[in-house]
């Protein structure tokens, strides 16, 4: 039946084995979409709504109207007693797009009652954990691999759980974890040789964290090359970013950018002595990566290189602003720093090695659509809020928080509240991309996963990439501790 099928699909996704059943899930949800479905269960309706919207199948929020009371708000009976239904509604409503006030209200009401239930009700521990996780980050915005690491231990306490499905999930988690460990060893060796050779000791040494970031987005076993490629981009960008932000003079910033724009061995003469090894290694690594991909993928590496060059230009502009003590308007600041957030580069480099991405779909990624700009803004806003807590590097331009405070003459708390609301607005834009041309769905999903990964580094006003001890539990759960069989 439809409910049983939805629960199965949800369990497969939650257990992290969706990649084993992609085609079956797509076909099943299309069948569900065209079938007549009626239910008086808030949980079932919300699950139906979430699964379809997550997979790019449009459904109207009107389906929740039947649960309104006389005052057009959620029935008090549901609000007071149906924890599972409220949790499902809360998660589903986070797939809202612009112009859906009923889903905004559903989030607000559900959050209010769920918070009360966690304080006042005797919830079973598994459900309580799921509620608390959702109140922190709603399910559609979580990193799938992290959620899987938590849900596997909870699943056997779910009503009607499948023992064979759980066994498959445990085996798959450990197999994939072993693949990740082998890649992490290789990346660490590559990075240690590179970091030691270039001698930029002021730059952050972040091999594990850079690989983790890539792994959170592209965790599936068959995405090994993509995962490694993106991790190397993150680490090369870290060297460039820290040079522009924390060490180079404005003249050295200009010289580095000029050499990167030329992208030729002869341009090494433009650079101060301490940057020459880095520049040569940058060119060499891109050449090696291009030689490793198929002829059909080489153009994507070329686009990645162009994005790297653009990123250098953005870093230089930030350095120029800082050197001039320029205080940009909030609008000008976010226009520039969203692009310097590295998200556009990661979106492009994330297509390398993905055979199912067509040239047409790749052009969507490379053209900086509204969805990618929304993702970049979310990353920038989260980073800037965290930066207000940790202090800035000497070369950092004024953050979006500071620019908003200066422009509107408000306190930091007011500015952060406003920026939090802008993050929510950008998520609506990103959700809308699910319902564009369905051929684009695989790369839209990639952008959503990349955006979700930001929370692992910048949630709760922290900067875990700069202060990696904050990532210890995450690293242990994903790379060190296998799931007990």
């Amino acid at each position: 039946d439809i409910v049983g099928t939805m629960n199965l699909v949800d369990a497969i996704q939650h257990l992290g084995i969706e990649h084993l059943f992609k085609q079956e899930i797509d076909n099943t949800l299309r069948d569900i979409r065209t079938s007549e479905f009626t239910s008086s269960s808030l949980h079932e309706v919300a699950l139906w709504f979430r699964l379809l919207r997550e997979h790019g199948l449009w459904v109207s929020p009107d389906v929740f109207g039947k649960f309104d009371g006389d005052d057009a708000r959620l029935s008090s009976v549901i609000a007071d007693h149906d924890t599972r239904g409220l949790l499902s509604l809360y998660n589903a409503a986070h797939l809202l797009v612009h112009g859906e006030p009923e889903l905004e209200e559903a989030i607000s009401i559900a959050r209010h009652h769920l918070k009360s239930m966690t304080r006042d009700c005797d919830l079973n521990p598994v459900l309580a954990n799921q509620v608390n996780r959702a109140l922190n980050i709603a399910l559609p915005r979580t990193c799938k691999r992290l959620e899987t690491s938590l849900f596997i231990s909870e699943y056997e306490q779910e009503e009607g759980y499948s023992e064979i499905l759980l066994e498959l999930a445990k085996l798959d988690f450990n197999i994939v974890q072993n693949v990740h460990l082998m890649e992490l060893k290789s990346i660490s060796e590559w990075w240690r040789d590179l970091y030691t050779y270039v001698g930029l000791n002021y730059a952050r040494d972040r091999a594990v964290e850079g690989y983790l970031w890539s792994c959170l987005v592209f965790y599936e076993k068959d995405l090994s090359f993509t995962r490694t490629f993106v991790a190397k981009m993150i680490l090369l960008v870290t060297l460039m970013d820290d040079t522009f932000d924390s060490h180079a003079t404005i003249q050295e910033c200009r010289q580095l950018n000029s050499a990167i724009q030329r992208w030729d061995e002869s341009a090494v003469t433009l650079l101060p002595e301490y940057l020459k090894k880095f520049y040569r290694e940058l060119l060499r690594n891109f050449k090696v990566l291009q030689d490793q991909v198929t002829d059909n993928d080489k153009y994507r590496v070329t686009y990645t290189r162009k994005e790297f060059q653009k990123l250098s230009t953005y870093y230089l502009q930030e350095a120029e602003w800082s050197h001039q003590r320029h205080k940009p308007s909030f609008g000008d600041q976010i226009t520039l720093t969203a692009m310097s957030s590295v998200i556009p580069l990661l979106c492009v480099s994330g297509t390398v090695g993905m055979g199912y991405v067509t040239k047409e779909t790749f052009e969507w990624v490379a053209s900086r659509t509204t969805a990618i700009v929304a993702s970049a803004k979310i990353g920038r806003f989260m980073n800037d809020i965290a930066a207000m807590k940790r202090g800035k590097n000497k070369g950092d331009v004024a953050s979006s928080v500071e620019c908003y405070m200066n422009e509107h003459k408000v306190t930091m708390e007011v500015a952060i509240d406003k920026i939090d609301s802008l993050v929510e607005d950008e998520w609506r834009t990103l959700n809308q991309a699910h319902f564009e041309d369905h051929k684009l769905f695989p790369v839209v999903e990639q952008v959503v996963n990349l955006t979700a990964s930001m929370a692992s580094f910048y949630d709760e006003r922290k900067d875990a990439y700069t202060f990696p001890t904050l990532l210890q539990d995450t690293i242990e759960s994903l790379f060190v501790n296998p799931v007990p069989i």
Side-chain angles (χ1 to χ4, degrees), residues 428-453:
R428 289 159 174 70
T429 299
L430 194 52
N431 288 338
Q432 182 66 48
H434 282 97
F435 312 112
E436 296 177 6
D437 189 338
H438 210 70
K439 290 181 292 187
L440 301 174
F441 183 77
V443 289
V444 172
E445 190 173 33
Q446 170 188 313
V447 176
V448 170
N449 291 341
L450 177 58
T451 312
S453 72

PDB file of all heavy atoms in Angstrom, residues 428-453:
ATOM      1  N   ARG A 428      14.282  29.128   0.720  1.00  0.00           N
ATOM      2  CA  ARG A 428      13.071  29.048  -0.108  1.00  0.00           C
ATOM      3  C   ARG A 428      13.446  29.077  -1.593  1.00  0.00           C
ATOM      4  O   ARG A 428      12.877  28.331  -2.402  1.00  0.00           O
ATOM      5  CB  ARG A 428      12.119  30.196   0.215  1.00  0.00           C
ATOM      6  CG  ARG A 428      11.428  30.084   1.577  1.00  0.00           C
ATOM      7  CD  ARG A 428      10.922  31.454   2.038  1.00  0.00           C
ATOM      8  NE  ARG A 428      10.137  31.413   3.253  1.00  0.00           N
ATOM      9  CZ  ARG A 428      10.583  31.148   4.473  1.00  0.00           C
ATOM     10  NH1 ARG A 428      11.859  30.843   4.648  1.00  0.00           N
ATOM     11  NH2 ARG A 428       9.780  31.167   5.524  1.00  0.00           N
ATOM     12  N   THR A 429      14.380  29.952  -1.943  1.00  0.00           N
ATOM     13  CA  THR A 429      14.844  30.007  -3.330  1.00  0.00           C
ATOM     14  C   THR A 429      15.474  28.686  -3.745  1.00  0.00           C
ATOM     15  O   THR A 429      15.231  28.183  -4.853  1.00  0.00           O
ATOM     16  CB  THR A 429      15.874  31.147  -3.496  1.00  0.00           C
ATOM     17  OG1 THR A 429      15.251  32.390  -3.172  1.00  0.00           O
ATOM     18  CG2 THR A 429      16.411  31.209  -4.907  1.00  0.00           C
ATOM     19  N   LEU A 430      16.269  28.118  -2.855  1.00  0.00           N
ATOM     20  CA  LEU A 430      16.912  26.834  -3.152  1.00  0.00           C
ATOM     21  C   LEU A 430      15.885  25.718  -3.281  1.00  0.00           C
ATOM     22  O   LEU A 430      15.980  24.863  -4.178  1.00  0.00           O
ATOM     23  CB  LEU A 430      17.911  26.522  -2.037  1.00  0.00           C
ATOM     24  CG  LEU A 430      18.935  25.412  -2.263  1.00  0.00           C
ATOM     25  CD1 LEU A 430      19.694  25.615  -3.559  1.00  0.00           C
ATOM     26  CD2 LEU A 430      19.897  25.351  -1.081  1.00  0.00           C
ATOM     27  N   ASN A 431      14.877  25.712  -2.410  1.00  0.00           N
ATOM     28  CA  ASN A 431      13.813  24.708  -2.512  1.00  0.00           C
ATOM     29  C   ASN A 431      13.078  24.805  -3.850  1.00  0.00           C
ATOM     30  O   ASN A 431      12.677  23.786  -4.430  1.00  0.00           O
ATOM     31  CB  ASN A 431      12.809  24.878  -1.368  1.00  0.00           C
ATOM     32  CG  ASN A 431      13.369  24.441  -0.026  1.00  0.00           C
ATOM     33  OD1 ASN A 431      14.318  23.665   0.049  1.00  0.00           O
ATOM     34  ND2 ASN A 431      12.785  24.937   1.051  1.00  0.00           N
ATOM     35  N   GLN A 432      12.878  26.033  -4.319  1.00  0.00           N
ATOM     36  CA  GLN A 432      12.160  26.237  -5.580  1.00  0.00           C
ATOM     37  C   GLN A 432      12.869  25.537  -6.737  1.00  0.00           C
ATOM     38  O   GLN A 432      12.227  25.063  -7.687  1.00  0.00           O
ATOM     39  CB  GLN A 432      12.053  27.737  -5.878  1.00  0.00           C
ATOM     40  CG  GLN A 432      11.280  28.084  -7.140  1.00  0.00           C
ATOM     41  CD  GLN A 432       9.799  27.725  -7.042  1.00  0.00           C
ATOM     42  OE1 GLN A 432       9.155  28.055  -6.046  1.00  0.00           O
ATOM     43  NE2 GLN A 432       9.276  27.022  -8.047  1.00  0.00           N
ATOM     44  N   ALA A 433      14.192  25.436  -6.654  1.00  0.00           N
ATOM     45  CA  ALA A 433      14.962  24.812  -7.736  1.00  0.00           C
ATOM     46  C   ALA A 433      14.625  23.338  -7.911  1.00  0.00           C
ATOM     47  O   ALA A 433      14.857  22.765  -8.985  1.00  0.00           O
ATOM     48  CB  ALA A 433      16.457  24.984  -7.480  1.00  0.00           C
ATOM     49  N   HIS A 434      14.078  22.697  -6.876  1.00  0.00           N
ATOM     50  CA  HIS A 434      13.663  21.295  -7.004  1.00  0.00           C
ATOM     51  C   HIS A 434      12.658  21.106  -8.135  1.00  0.00           C
ATOM     52  O   HIS A 434      12.558  20.024  -8.716  1.00  0.00           O
ATOM     53  CB  HIS A 434      13.000  20.809  -5.703  1.00  0.00           C
ATOM     54  CG  HIS A 434      13.961  20.479  -4.606  1.00  0.00           C
ATOM     55  ND1 HIS A 434      14.267  21.354  -3.607  1.00  0.00           N
ATOM     56  CD2 HIS A 434      14.680  19.356  -4.353  1.00  0.00           C
ATOM     57  CE1 HIS A 434      15.121  20.788  -2.764  1.00  0.00           C
ATOM     58  NE2 HIS A 434      15.389  19.587  -3.199  1.00  0.00           N
ATOM     59  N   PHE A 435      11.891  22.160  -8.422  1.00  0.00           N
ATOM     60  CA  PHE A 435      10.758  21.998  -9.335  1.00  0.00           C
ATOM     61  C   PHE A 435      11.028  22.598 -10.705  1.00  0.00           C
ATOM     62  O   PHE A 435      10.113  22.766 -11.505  1.00  0.00           O
ATOM     63  CB  PHE A 435       9.506  22.619  -8.703  1.00  0.00           C
ATOM     64  CG  PHE A 435       9.319  22.188  -7.280  1.00  0.00           C
ATOM     65  CD1 PHE A 435       9.460  23.093  -6.239  1.00  0.00           C
ATOM     66  CD2 PHE A 435       9.058  20.866  -6.973  1.00  0.00           C
ATOM     67  CE1 PHE A 435       9.320  22.701  -4.921  1.00  0.00           C
ATOM     68  CE2 PHE A 435       8.926  20.453  -5.654  1.00  0.00           C
ATOM     69  CZ  PHE A 435       9.051  21.365  -4.627  1.00  0.00           C
ATOM     70  N   GLU A 436      12.298  22.940 -10.981  1.00  0.00           N
ATOM     71  CA  GLU A 436      12.663  23.353 -12.321  1.00  0.00           C
ATOM     72  C   GLU A 436      12.782  22.105 -13.190  1.00  0.00           C
ATOM     73  O   GLU A 436      12.391  21.017 -12.786  1.00  0.00           O
ATOM     74  CB  GLU A 436      13.964  24.172 -12.263  1.00  0.00           C
ATOM     75  CG  GLU A 436      13.793  25.479 -11.478  1.00  0.00           C
ATOM     76  CD  GLU A 436      15.091  26.269 -11.337  1.00  0.00           C
ATOM     77  OE1 GLU A 436      16.108  25.868 -11.941  1.00  0.00           O
ATOM     78  OE2 GLU A 436      15.076  27.282 -10.614  1.00  0.00           O
ATOM     79  N   ASP A 437      13.318  22.242 -14.375  1.00  0.00           N
ATOM     80  CA  ASP A 437      13.465  21.116 -15.301  1.00  0.00           C
ATOM     81  C   ASP A 437      13.975  19.886 -14.545  1.00  0.00           C
ATOM     82  O   ASP A 437      15.016  19.924 -13.895  1.00  0.00           O
ATOM     83  CB  ASP A 437      14.444  21.507 -16.404  1.00  0.00           C
ATOM     84  CG  ASP A 437      14.501  20.478 -17.526  1.00  0.00           C
ATOM     85  OD1 ASP A 437      14.129  19.310 -17.293  1.00  0.00           O
ATOM     86  OD2 ASP A 437      14.920  20.845 -18.636  1.00  0.00           O
ATOM     87  N   HIS A 438      13.234  18.764 -14.639  1.00  0.00           N
ATOM     88  CA  HIS A 438      13.569  17.592 -13.831  1.00  0.00           C
ATOM     89  C   HIS A 438      14.916  16.991 -14.207  1.00  0.00           C
ATOM     90  O   HIS A 438      15.532  16.272 -13.419  1.00  0.00           O
ATOM     91  CB  HIS A 438      12.471  16.528 -13.941  1.00  0.00           C
ATOM     92  CG  HIS A 438      12.353  15.686 -12.700  1.00  0.00           C
ATOM     93  ND1 HIS A 438      11.860  16.160 -11.503  1.00  0.00           N
ATOM     94  CD2 HIS A 438      12.728  14.407 -12.452  1.00  0.00           C
ATOM     95  CE1 HIS A 438      11.902  15.210 -10.582  1.00  0.00           C
ATOM     96  NE2 HIS A 438      12.428  14.128 -11.135  1.00  0.00           N
ATOM     97  N   LYS A 439      15.404  17.284 -15.415  1.00  0.00           N
ATOM     98  CA  LYS A 439      16.723  16.793 -15.803  1.00  0.00           C
ATOM     99  C   LYS A 439      17.817  17.399 -14.926  1.00  0.00           C
ATOM    100  O   LYS A 439      18.906  16.859 -14.803  1.00  0.00           O
ATOM    101  CB  LYS A 439      16.997  17.121 -17.275  1.00  0.00           C
ATOM    102  CG  LYS A 439      16.166  16.323 -18.277  1.00  0.00           C
ATOM    103  CD  LYS A 439      16.522  16.698 -19.694  1.00  0.00           C
ATOM    104  CE  LYS A 439      16.109  18.117 -20.026  1.00  0.00           C
ATOM    105  NZ  LYS A 439      16.298  18.449 -21.467  1.00  0.00           N
ATOM    106  N   LEU A 440      17.523  18.546 -14.336  1.00  0.00           N
ATOM    107  CA  LEU A 440      18.494  19.222 -13.485  1.00  0.00           C
ATOM    108  C   LEU A 440      18.523  18.674 -12.067  1.00  0.00           C
ATOM    109  O   LEU A 440      19.394  19.040 -11.271  1.00  0.00           O
ATOM    110  CB  LEU A 440      18.182  20.722 -13.420  1.00  0.00           C
ATOM    111  CG  LEU A 440      18.167  21.495 -14.741  1.00  0.00           C
ATOM    112  CD1 LEU A 440      17.693  22.921 -14.491  1.00  0.00           C
ATOM    113  CD2 LEU A 440      19.547  21.496 -15.382  1.00  0.00           C
ATOM    114  N   PHE A 441      17.569  17.800 -11.726  1.00  0.00           N
ATOM    115  CA  PHE A 441      17.396  17.413 -10.328  1.00  0.00           C
ATOM    116  C   PHE A 441      18.666  16.862  -9.680  1.00  0.00           C
ATOM    117  O   PHE A 441      18.973  17.223  -8.533  1.00  0.00           O
ATOM    118  CB  PHE A 441      16.252  16.402 -10.179  1.00  0.00           C
ATOM    119  CG  PHE A 441      16.002  16.027  -8.751  1.00  0.00           C
ATOM    120  CD1 PHE A 441      15.325  16.888  -7.904  1.00  0.00           C
ATOM    121  CD2 PHE A 441      16.489  14.841  -8.230  1.00  0.00           C
ATOM    122  CE1 PHE A 441      15.118  16.569  -6.570  1.00  0.00           C
ATOM    123  CE2 PHE A 441      16.294  14.505  -6.898  1.00  0.00           C
ATOM    124  CZ  PHE A 441      15.602  15.370  -6.073  1.00  0.00           C
ATOM    125  N   PRO A 442      19.461  16.001 -10.354  1.00  0.00           N
ATOM    126  CA  PRO A 442      20.663  15.478  -9.689  1.00  0.00           C
ATOM    127  C   PRO A 442      21.630  16.572  -9.242  1.00  0.00           C
ATOM    128  O   PRO A 442      22.210  16.478  -8.154  1.00  0.00           O
ATOM    129  CB  PRO A 442      21.308  14.583 -10.759  1.00  0.00           C
ATOM    130  CG  PRO A 442      20.171  14.178 -11.638  1.00  0.00           C
ATOM    131  CD  PRO A 442      19.258  15.370 -11.678  1.00  0.00           C
ATOM    132  N   VAL A 443      21.799  17.621 -10.054  1.00  0.00           N
ATOM    133  CA  VAL A 443      22.740  18.674  -9.637  1.00  0.00           C
ATOM    134  C   VAL A 443      22.091  19.629  -8.638  1.00  0.00           C
ATOM    135  O   VAL A 443      22.782  20.217  -7.806  1.00  0.00           O
ATOM    136  CB  VAL A 443      23.302  19.445 -10.849  1.00  0.00           C
ATOM    137  CG1 VAL A 443      24.261  18.570 -11.632  1.00  0.00           C
ATOM    138  CG2 VAL A 443      22.219  19.990 -11.738  1.00  0.00           C
ATOM    139  N   VAL A 444      20.766  19.798  -8.706  1.00  0.00           N
ATOM    140  CA  VAL A 444      20.075  20.580  -7.666  1.00  0.00           C
ATOM    141  C   VAL A 444      20.263  19.892  -6.317  1.00  0.00           C
ATOM    142  O   VAL A 444      20.561  20.540  -5.303  1.00  0.00           O
ATOM    143  CB  VAL A 444      18.578  20.735  -7.995  1.00  0.00           C
ATOM    144  CG1 VAL A 444      17.838  21.365  -6.816  1.00  0.00           C
ATOM    145  CG2 VAL A 444      18.381  21.576  -9.251  1.00  0.00           C
ATOM    146  N   GLU A 445      20.100  18.583  -6.304  1.00  0.00           N
ATOM    147  CA  GLU A 445      20.284  17.818  -5.068  1.00  0.00           C
ATOM    148  C   GLU A 445      21.717  17.986  -4.546  1.00  0.00           C
ATOM    149  O   GLU A 445      21.949  18.106  -3.338  1.00  0.00           O
ATOM    150  CB  GLU A 445      19.989  16.342  -5.335  1.00  0.00           C
ATOM    151  CG  GLU A 445      19.905  15.488  -4.099  1.00  0.00           C
ATOM    152  CD  GLU A 445      19.453  14.077  -4.413  1.00  0.00           C
ATOM    153  OE1 GLU A 445      19.786  13.570  -5.502  1.00  0.00           O
ATOM    154  OE2 GLU A 445      18.784  13.477  -3.570  1.00  0.00           O
ATOM    155  N   GLN A 446      22.682  18.030  -5.452  1.00  0.00           N
ATOM    156  CA  GLN A 446      24.068  18.239  -5.068  1.00  0.00           C
ATOM    157  C   GLN A 446      24.254  19.611  -4.411  1.00  0.00           C
ATOM    158  O   GLN A 446      24.951  19.739  -3.396  1.00  0.00           O
ATOM    159  CB  GLN A 446      24.946  18.137  -6.306  1.00  0.00           C
ATOM    160  CG  GLN A 446      26.389  18.553  -6.132  1.00  0.00           C
ATOM    161  CD  GLN A 446      27.117  18.595  -7.468  1.00  0.00           C
ATOM    162  OE1 GLN A 446      27.023  17.677  -8.270  1.00  0.00           O
ATOM    163  NE2 GLN A 446      27.839  19.679  -7.720  1.00  0.00           N
ATOM    164  N   VAL A 447      23.613  20.644  -4.975  1.00  0.00           N
ATOM    165  CA  VAL A 447      23.716  21.989  -4.402  1.00  0.00           C
ATOM    166  C   VAL A 447      23.057  22.020  -3.021  1.00  0.00           C
ATOM    167  O   VAL A 447      23.574  22.652  -2.093  1.00  0.00           O
ATOM    168  CB  VAL A 447      23.076  23.033  -5.347  1.00  0.00           C
ATOM    169  CG1 VAL A 447      23.093  24.421  -4.697  1.00  0.00           C
ATOM    170  CG2 VAL A 447      23.815  23.074  -6.683  1.00  0.00           C
ATOM    171  N   VAL A 448      21.921  21.360  -2.880  1.00  0.00           N
ATOM    172  CA  VAL A 448      21.251  21.291  -1.577  1.00  0.00           C
ATOM    173  C   VAL A 448      22.149  20.590  -0.555  1.00  0.00           C
ATOM    174  O   VAL A 448      22.293  21.051   0.587  1.00  0.00           O
ATOM    175  CB  VAL A 448      19.897  20.560  -1.701  1.00  0.00           C
ATOM    176  CG1 VAL A 448      19.304  20.271  -0.318  1.00  0.00           C
ATOM    177  CG2 VAL A 448      18.917  21.382  -2.531  1.00  0.00           C
ATOM    178  N   ASN A 449      22.766  19.473  -0.947  1.00  0.00           N
ATOM    179  CA  ASN A 449      23.654  18.754  -0.029  1.00  0.00           C
ATOM    180  C   ASN A 449      24.854  19.608   0.360  1.00  0.00           C
ATOM    181  O   ASN A 449      25.300  19.573   1.512  1.00  0.00           O
ATOM    182  CB  ASN A 449      24.129  17.449  -0.680  1.00  0.00           C
ATOM    183  CG  ASN A 449      23.015  16.432  -0.838  1.00  0.00           C
ATOM    184  OD1 ASN A 449      21.986  16.525  -0.177  1.00  0.00           O
ATOM    185  ND2 ASN A 449      23.205  15.468  -1.726  1.00  0.00           N
ATOM    186  N   LEU A 450      25.383  20.361  -0.601  1.00  0.00           N
ATOM    187  CA  LEU A 450      26.502  21.251  -0.298  1.00  0.00           C
ATOM    188  C   LEU A 450      26.080  22.321   0.702  1.00  0.00           C
ATOM    189  O   LEU A 450      26.809  22.630   1.659  1.00  0.00           O
ATOM    190  CB  LEU A 450      27.014  21.890  -1.592  1.00  0.00           C
ATOM    191  CG  LEU A 450      28.148  22.913  -1.463  1.00  0.00           C
ATOM    192  CD1 LEU A 450      29.367  22.298  -0.789  1.00  0.00           C
ATOM    193  CD2 LEU A 450      28.512  23.478  -2.834  1.00  0.00           C
ATOM    194  N   THR A 451      24.887  22.872   0.497  1.00  0.00           N
ATOM    195  CA  THR A 451      24.384  23.896   1.421  1.00  0.00           C
ATOM    196  C   THR A 451      24.169  23.312   2.812  1.00  0.00           C
ATOM    197  O   THR A 451      24.508  23.942   3.826  1.00  0.00           O
ATOM    198  CB  THR A 451      23.069  24.483   0.889  1.00  0.00           C
ATOM    199  OG1 THR A 451      23.210  24.823  -0.497  1.00  0.00           O
ATOM    200  CG2 THR A 451      22.665  25.724   1.663  1.00  0.00           C
ATOM    201  N   ALA A 452      23.623  22.104   2.865  1.00  0.00           N
ATOM    202  CA  ALA A 452      23.393  21.448   4.153  1.00  0.00           C
ATOM    203  C   ALA A 452      24.704  21.190   4.888  1.00  0.00           C
ATOM    204  O   ALA A 452      24.741  21.212   6.128  1.00  0.00           O
ATOM    205  CB  ALA A 452      22.631  20.136   3.944  1.00  0.00           C
ATOM    206  N   SER A 453      25.780  20.955   4.146  1.00  0.00           N
ATOM    207  CA  SER A 453      27.057  20.659   4.789  1.00  0.00           C
ATOM    208  C   SER A 453      27.592  21.848   5.594  1.00  0.00           C
ATOM    209  O   SER A 453      28.401  21.676   6.503  1.00  0.00           O
ATOM    210  CB  SER A 453      28.099  20.245   3.742  1.00  0.00           C
ATOM    211  OG  SER A 453      28.520  21.357   2.960  1.00  0.00           O
TER     212      SER A 453
END
